[in-house]
Amino acid sequence: MEFDTVIIGAGAAGMMCAAHSGGRTLVIDHAKAAGEKIRISGGGRCNFTNMGATSANFLSQNPHFCKSALKRYTQWDFLDLVSKYGIGWHEKTLGQLFCDDRAKQIVAMLLQEMNEAGAQLWLKTSVQQVSHDGQRFLIGVERDGMRIALRARNLVLASGGKSIPKMGASGFAYDVAEQFGLGLVETRPALVPLTFADQRYAPISGVAVPARASANGTAFDEAVLFTHRGLSGPAILQASSYWKEGDVVTLNIDPENGLFDQMRTARVEQGKRDVSTILTQHLPTRLVQHLVDEMGITGRIGDQSDKALEALCTQLKNWEQRPTGSEGYRTAEVTLGGIDTDGISSKTMEAKTQTGLYVIGEAMDVTGWLGGYNFQWAWSSGWAAGTAISAALNV
C-alpha cells in the first residue's frame, strides 16, 4: 500500500501533524484509541497548553532548538483552534489552561481535523520493521492478524518516549532513529515523584505545604506533598527534571519569607508557648512534629533570641533532601532526553541524516515543564512537520 506520509503514533503530536501534512497520510498506533495520554491528562480535563509558554520552559541539550516551532505555532494558535470547536476552557494557576468539560473534546477535535484533511487512522496496528530502499520507506505492520507492507515518501516518528509504559510507551522511536543515523541523548524519567529507601515520610504521608523546591540551581514555588515513598507535588515534579541520583533537593518551607517576623511577634504575644506550637500556626501540625524530631526544635518562644529564631528560619529555608531515586517511568509524566536535536531541522523537524524522516513531540530531546508545556511542544512540532511535509508534496 502506497502513502505519501506514514505517521507512527496517534498521540498529540502525531494527530496534529496528520491534520496538516496533506496528501495521502496514514497514522498508525498499537493502542485501541487515539490520544490516550490526552484523555488521562489533567485529571481528565487536559492541561492542553500554557499562557506563558516560551522556549525558557523547556529542557534540551540545545535550548535554542524549540524556539522556531514555538514562535511559529503558539499557544494562541492552539487556543484559536479550541475556540473554533466551541470547547470551553479556563485558566488555573501559573497560566495553565484546562478544558471546562472533558479531555476527550481535544481528542475529538484532533480526529475531526485529521478527517477533514483526509488522513487515515489505523489503531491496534503494530510496526514490525522499518527500512528505506533509496526512494521510499518500507514499513511492515501487523493489523487484525494480517501482515501489511506499506510504502511511503515520508515517515514521522511520533510515538513518544518511555513514560507510562502501562499505556504502551516504549523506546521504539529511539531504535528507528538510530537505524537512520540519528544520535540519542541519555533518557531518564522527568516530572516524577522522588523516593527515599527508608520511607522517612511515611508517617506524614498526605501532608502538603507551599514550598520552594530547588535542584541544581533551578527552583520552583508550588506545593510539596509528602508521600509514603518520598516527595511529590508540583514543586517536586518540576525539580525532578533537574535532579539526578545523588543530588540534593533543597526545600524552603518559608517561601514567602515571613516566618521570622511572625515568630518575633509570637515571642511578645505568646511568650509562654513552645516554639513548636507557634510553628503549627503557620505549618501543618504533622509536619511540625516531624521537624521537631529531625531538627531538635525545643523550648518556649519567649526564650528565643533573634539569633536563635534566625537560625531556625534558615534551617526551614534550607531543608536539604537527598532522595535515593524516583518513581521511574511508571509514573513519570515525560521522558527527559531522547533523539538528539543536532540531527534534526528546527524549522521542519526533518532528520538531517535521512530525507523524509521526521521526529516530533516527546520522542526528541525537548522536555517541557509541568503545566501544559509538553502539549504545546506536541502542537508546535507536529504543526511544523506537517506544514513542511505538505509544502514539499506540493512542490
Side-chain angles (χ1 to χ4, degrees):
M1 299 183 70
E2 189 86 25
F3 292 91
D4 293 307
T5 304
V6 169
I7 300 171
I8 301 175
M15 288 193 286
M16 190 67 171
C17 182
H20 293 91
S21 57
R24 297 164 299 167
T25 294
L26 172 65
V27 182
I28 59 179
D29 200 298
H30 56 67
K32 295 179 181 178
E36 283 293 83
K37 256 194 170 182
I38 299 174
R39 183 183 60 79
I40 67 167
S41 69
R45 290 181 185 264
C46 188
N47 179 192
F48 58 81
T49 192
N50 194 290
M51 285 288 201
T54 71
S55 61
N57 307 114
F58 293 84
L59 293 81
S60 174
Q61 286 202 340
N62 178 1
H64 303 292
F65 178 85
C66 62
K67 289 180 178 179
S68 174
L70 290 171
K71 284 181 179 178
R72 290 183 297 127
Y73 191 89
T74 70
Q75 55 269 47
W76 311 111
D77 293 314
F78 193 75
L79 268 179
D80 286 345
L81 180 61
V82 168
S83 298
K84 170 185 166 184
Y85 279 80
I87 299 172
W89 57 272
H90 57 277
E91 181 179 353
K92 287 192 175 181
T93 57
L94 303 173
Q96 301 170 15
L97 302 189
F98 289 79
C99 296
D100 287 344
D101 193 8
R102 309 303 295 167
K104 289 180 180 179
Q105 292 177 291
I106 300 293
V107 178
M109 175 189 77
L110 293 168
L111 288 172
Q112 181 61 28
E113 287 287 293
M114 284 173 54
N115 186 56
E116 290 181 7
Q120 293 185 52
L121 173 62
W122 287 4
L123 296 170
K124 294 188 283 187
T125 302
S126 61
V127 178
Q128 303 297 313
Q129 63 87 217
V130 176
S131 61
H132 196 279
D133 66 3
Q135 292 185 318
R136 294 285 189 270
F137 287 96
L138 309 177
I139 306 109
V141 303
E142 187 170 305
R143 185 185 191 215
D144 295 330
M146 296 176 58
R147 288 183 175 265
I148 304 170
L150 308 175
R151 282 169 52 88
R153 174 175 168 179
N154 304 299
L155 177 66
V156 183
L157 300 180
S159 55
K162 299 177 180 179
S163 304
I164 318 183
K166 70 178 181 182
M167 294 184 66
S170 72
F172 172 83
Y174 309 146
D175 296 337
V176 177
E178 283 193 303
Q179 181 183 333
F180 289 100
L182 291 171
L184 297 182
V185 174
E186 182 182 2
T187 60
R188 55 191 175 90
L191 300 182
V192 64
L194 301 177
T195 60
F196 297 81
D198 60 8
Q199 297 189 332
R200 65 187 64 179
Y201 295 120
I204 60 170
S205 177
V207 171
V209 64
R212 178 175 301 133
S214 59
N216 291 309
T218 301
F220 295 92
D221 285 31
E222 284 192 80
V224 167
L225 172 68
F226 297 89
T227 72
H228 277 94
R229 290 172 56 82
L231 297 169
S232 189
I236 293 297
L237 297 185
Q238 295 277 41
S240 73
S241 295
Y242 296 83
W243 173 88
K244 290 183 179 178
E245 283 77 1
D247 290 344
V248 167
V249 174
T250 302
L251 298 185
N252 175 354
I253 54 176
D254 179 28
E256 298 297 324
N257 209 31
L259 190 58
F260 177 65
D261 288 339
Q262 292 163 343
M263 299 285 277
R264 291 185 73 196
T265 300
R267 184 174 60 190
V268 175
E269 298 176 354
Q270 306 174 64
K272 292 184 178 180
R273 293 195 169 192
D274 287 345
V275 174
S276 59
T277 302
I278 302 303
L279 284 175
T280 62
Q281 297 171 9
H282 307 287
L283 296 168
T285 299
R286 289 167 62 203
L287 174 58
V288 171
Q289 291 168 347
H290 178 91
L291 293 169
V292 165
D293 294 336
E294 180 172 324
M295 298 183 179
I297 300 170
T298 59
R300 296 189 305 177
I301 188 70
D303 297 332
Q304 308 301 311
S305 65
D306 279 0
K307 186 176 181 181
L309 292 179
E310 278 185 353
L312 174 58
C313 289
T314 297
Q315 274 188 292
L316 298 178
K317 289 174 184 291
N318 297 278
W319 188 16
E320 290 194 347
Q321 314 285 325
R322 199 178 292 274
T324 51
S326 78
E327 293 277 6
Y329 290 114
R330 181 178 64 85
T331 58
E333 295 202 15
V334 290
T335 303
L336 195 69
I339 299 169
D340 195 335
T341 59
D342 281 353
I344 302 167
S345 163
S346 62
K347 183 178 180 181
T348 66
M349 304 296 138
E350 186 175 16
K352 298 173 183 177
T353 57
Q354 175 63 61
T355 301
L357 179 65
Y358 295 79
V359 182
I360 57 177
E362 189 186 343
M364 70 173 74
D365 176 34
V366 176
T367 305
W369 288 3
L370 184 72
Y373 299 100
N374 287 292
F375 275 129
Q376 184 56 47
W377 177 243
W379 316 139
S380 296
S381 62
W383 175 90
T387 53
I389 289 169
S390 179
L393 290 176
N394 292 320
V395 170

